[in-house]
Amino acid sequence: MAIPNIRIPSRQLFIDGEWREPVKKNRLPAINPATEEIFGDIPAATAEDVDIAVKAARRALGRDDWGSTTGAQRAKYLRAIAAKVLERRPELATLETIDNGKPWFEAASDIDDVVACFEYYADLAEALDSKKKTEVKLHLDSFKTHVFREPLGVVGLITPWNYPLLMTTWKVAPALAAGCAAILKPSELASITSLELGEICREVGLPPGALNILTGLGHEAGSPLVSHPDVDKIAFTGSGPTGVKIMTAAAQLVKPVTLELGGKSPIVVFDDIHDLDIAVEWTLFGCFWTNGQICSATSRLILQETIAPQFLDRLLEWTKNIKISDPLEEDCKLGPLISRGQYEKVLKFISTAKNEGATILYGGDRPQHLNKGYYIQPTVITDVDTSMEIWKEEVFGPVLCVKTFKTEEEAIALANDTKYGLGAAILSKDLERCERFTKAFQSGIVWINCSQPCFWQPPWGGKKRSGFGRELGEWSLENYLNIKQVTQYVSTDEPWAFYKSPSKL
Ligand SMILES: NC(=O)C1=CN([C@@H]2O[C@H](COP(=O)(O)OP(=O)(O)OC[C@H]3O[C@@H](n4cnc5c(N)ncnc54)[C@H](O)[C@@H]3O)[C@@H](O)[C@H]2O)C=CC1
Ligand code: BAL
Ligand code: NA
């Protein structure tokens, strides 16, 4: 498919169904990481705008056109959004690539996932109607109890830059399916496509205030959203330190949070893999896909010693073959990192690894043929010690570190030697061994004979310092529902007889 030339939209904040200039009228540049050029700008919300948006969301919940909708009615909006996103697929993918730097075909596949995700939550919204009120059997006849599943209220959704519109969708689609009113705060590093979602919501006639979109900086727009007393919940995906700040602020108001934070996931490769090339490709995909800028990247290769030399030789041959280029080029497989800050951070990780005694087996620098843009070669690091930063900390870049093992016990210990617990992968023909690893991995996700494929039906999330709560699937819908117990006394002719009745004195 030809990649379209597009116009860069200029938007305001999306509040109460309308485009609205930020109270302080500030804007932030939108930077193309492939060229380092400013290609547009986004509005910068502050606490004043947060307050206006929260009030609009609260009004939406109080109005029949949103607050009294059935799941089936909400499903219509979600399907209409999906259809509009699909209609604009080439353009949205191009905007995503320009803003984020991911290869166009990856961006386009993200847009396909966005469409599928809105459709999936439309189905779940419909299904919710029959589960809205469910009876709970009691041991007494004098009472009847049922449980209501109702929208949790006004929810704040704070998202990162690595999958801009897709991470937005992972939160917005279930929140709207559940009937919440939402305030989305996308990352200031890539907000353009999330703002376009505002235009799509306007076009499909989503009731005003059901979704509000506030772009801006974390401390100026995100932080007041978290501390706003009239926001009932925060769902966050991003870095560990910001997750800690959000949880701390939310705790002051006993506000529930779900946190999807970082990772340093292992991929354990045994010598009984089905096929060397297939295993090598999954290993590369596990770490270099999305430029390693994915929380679940399997960035620690734990490799059985017996096949290490041949596996690494082949891995380098495959790595050299990865096309690094402008992400708008059709067969690009590795574009630039998101920002100068991320580029410098990743190079620093590589130089610290070198200083700590590791070997940069491949890469480690910017590709020579690209002198502009935040590009870094896919990098493979060996001679890694478990005390090194490169083994312990999330890089969020195309950097794979390698350690070998002899026994299964050693492999499990290395795999779990991390404060994080998001993903874990094992490549082996022995399915009983895969089963043992599935149990042993301290993670929320396990991949067997693959790494990274992500579908919208199963749950997604981690344990340990990767956070808690689950997104996607039916689990995500639960994040946005209040479970209300309703108990009715049905023996209304019978006194309760706990106190002495004065009429009987
Ligand atoms: N787990 C993941 O998916 C992600 C992890 N990261 C990691 O985080 C590092 C830093 O990247 P950042 O973009 O700075 O991530 P970040 O975690 O600071 O940003 C994520 C979102 O949180 C917002 N935010 C920041 N401070 C906030 C606050 N005090 N209150 C409320 N919201 C706030 C940001 O504006 C953005 O929308 C990366 O180098 C990478 O290692 C970054 C993005 C995604
Ligand atoms: N699907 C990507 C989840 C993340 O990196 O946040
Ligand atoms: Na950008």
Side-chain angles (χ1 to χ4, degrees):
M1 178 194 282
I3 296 166
N5 275 325
I6 48 151
R7 183 186 61 84
I8 307 296
S10 175
R11 303 282 180 203
Q12 299 291 355
L13 303 173
F14 186 65
I15 301 179
D16 214 8
E18 293 175 349
W19 296 111
R20 210 181 158 123
E21 194 176 29
V23 170
K24 293 201 168 148
K25 304 188 190 308
N26 290 337
R27 295 189 74 86
L28 298 167
I31 295 170
N32 179 344
T35 59
E36 305 182 30
E37 281 162 10
I38 296 174
F39 69 94
D41 60 11
I42 56 169
T46 56
E48 292 82 351
D49 305 297
V50 169
D51 196 50
I52 295 168
V54 172
K55 288 193 172 93
R58 193 54 67 189
R59 279 197 302 276
L61 283 180
R63 273 195 333 262
D64 284 351
D65 67 353
W66 186 247
S68 303
T69 46
T70 61
Q73 287 167 324
R74 295 193 295 276
K76 284 196 180 135
Y77 291 120
L78 294 176
R79 290 208 179 94
I81 292 171
K84 282 272 174 204
V85 171
L86 185 60
E87 218 176 275
R88 292 181 60 182
R89 177 184 187 265
E91 178 210 349
L92 288 171
T94 307
L95 286 173
E96 204 76 299
T97 291
I98 292 171
D99 203 7
N100 164 285
K102 66 171 65 194
W104 190 86
F105 284 93
E106 282 189 33
S109 115
D110 286 2
I111 302 301
D112 292 337
D113 277 12
V114 166
V115 173
C117 214
F118 272 110
E119 282 171 353
Y120 175 77
Y121 283 101
D123 292 347
L124 290 197
E126 273 173 350
L128 193 58
D129 285 337
S130 61
K131 295 185 206 148
K132 198 171 167 178
K133 184 177 172 185
T134 50
E135 195 184 344
V136 179
K137 284 266 173 253
L138 300 177
H139 63 292
L140 295 173
D141 292 334
S142 44
F143 291 91
K144 245 174 52 183
T145 292
H146 59 263
V147 160
F148 262 126
R149 282 190 166 73
E150 61 181 18
L152 190 59
V154 172
V155 294
L157 314 175
I158 303 179
T159 56
W161 42 259
N162 54 346
Y163 287 80
L165 191 57
L166 187 56
M167 290 303 101
T168 282
T169 302
W170 280 21
K171 293 182 181 9
V172 168
L176 295 184
C180 289
I183 294 144
L184 168 73
K185 210 305 275 169
S187 168
E188 59 274 29
L189 296 178
S191 285
I192 298 282
T193 51
S194 292
L195 281 172
E196 288 315 286
L197 182 62
E199 180 61 9
I200 287 171
C201 289
R202 217 180 51 79
E203 285 171 3
V204 306
L206 187 76
L211 175 66
N212 306 276
I213 304 170
L214 301 183
T215 50
L217 298 173
H219 66 281
E220 286 184 1
S223 179
L225 183 60
V226 177
S227 337
H228 199 291
D230 215 16
V231 172
D232 298 302
K233 185 213 162 89
I234 295 291
F236 171 73
T237 298
S239 67
T242 300
V244 169
K245 278 190 206 157
I246 287 177
M247 195 169 165
T248 305
Q252 310 315 305
L253 298 162
V254 199
K255 186 177 297 194
V257 290
T258 47
L259 299 177
E260 213 264 75
L261 309 176
K264 190 78 188 180
S265 300
I267 178 164
V268 181
V269 179
F270 277 90
D271 60 8
D272 66 345
I273 38 177
H274 292 83
D275 176 275
L276 180 65
D277 282 316
I278 292 174
V280 163
E281 189 180 6
W282 278 119
T283 306
L284 294 189
F285 187 74
C287 189
F288 299 152
W289 180 56
T290 311
N291 227 329
Q293 299 176 123
I294 176 165
C295 51
S296 54
T298 39
S299 54
R300 290 183 301 135
L301 168 59
I302 299 169
L303 182 57
Q304 193 156 25
E305 207 175 71
T306 38
I307 53 157
Q310 67 186 113
F311 192 92
L312 288 176
D313 280 353
R314 198 70 184 139
L315 185 117
L316 291 203
E317 284 175 46
W318 275 75
T319 304
K320 285 176 195 159
N321 217 23
I322 294 174
K323 179 173 173 182
I324 314 171
S325 71
D326 186 303
L328 286 170
E329 276 186 29
E330 281 210 15
D331 48 354
C332 170
K333 287 293 186 292
L334 201 83
L337 294 165
I338 183 76
S339 63
R340 173 152 299 279
Q342 195 64 20
Y343 170 82
E344 284 169 359
K345 187 173 155 182
V346 173
L347 286 179
K348 179 92 188 347
F349 269 114
I350 296 169
S351 70
T352 303
K354 226 187 294 182
N355 294 339
E356 288 185 345
T359 301
I360 311 303
L361 193 63
Y362 186 80
D365 222 327
R366 69 178 298 124
Q368 284 186 348
H369 67 290
L370 292 161
N371 50 22
K372 247 203 158 175
Y374 309 127
Y375 294 93
I376 296 185
Q377 294 167 307
T379 299
V380 181
I381 303 185
T382 52
D383 299 318
V384 171
D385 194 274
T386 56
S387 64
M388 290 179 185
E389 181 193 63
I390 199 66
W391 176 261
K392 295 195 285 195
E393 301 301 331
E394 179 178 56
V395 174
F396 232 66
V399 181
L400 179 69
C401 70
V402 187
K403 252 197 103 47
T404 56
F405 70 91
K406 285 195 178 70
T407 65
E408 205 171 293
E409 293 67 35
E410 201 188 338
I412 289 172
L414 286 171
N416 288 334
D417 179 34
T418 168
K419 61 188 171 197
Y420 295 112
L422 186 57
I426 173 165
L427 310 188
S428 165
K429 217 189 264 179
D430 180 347
L431 291 182
E432 282 179 16
R433 169 153 52 208
C434 293
E435 190 62 35
R436 287 193 294 282
F437 271 74
T438 298
K439 283 199 194 118
F441 281 140
Q442 296 164 357
S443 67
I445 303 158
V446 171
W447 283 290
I448 298 174
N449 289 323
C450 61
S451 175
Q452 303 307 308
C454 173
F455 309 102
W456 46 90
Q457 303 94 336
W460 179 276
K463 59 191 286 195
K464 296 162 83 176
R465 288 209 226 155
S466 292
F468 52 84
R470 292 293 179 268
E471 299 203 281
L472 296 180
E474 61 197 64
W475 294 268
S476 193
L477 199 59
E478 297 294 328
N479 286 335
Y480 300 104
L481 292 170
N482 179 44
I483 307 296
K484 184 182 269 177
Q485 180 208 138
V486 183
T487 292
Q488 183 183 354
Y489 186 49
V490 288
S491 304
T492 44
D493 294 337
E494 298 286 325
W496 185 228
F498 181 77
Y499 300 107
K500 250 185 207 159
S501 163
S503 57
K504 289 191 182 150
L505 285 177

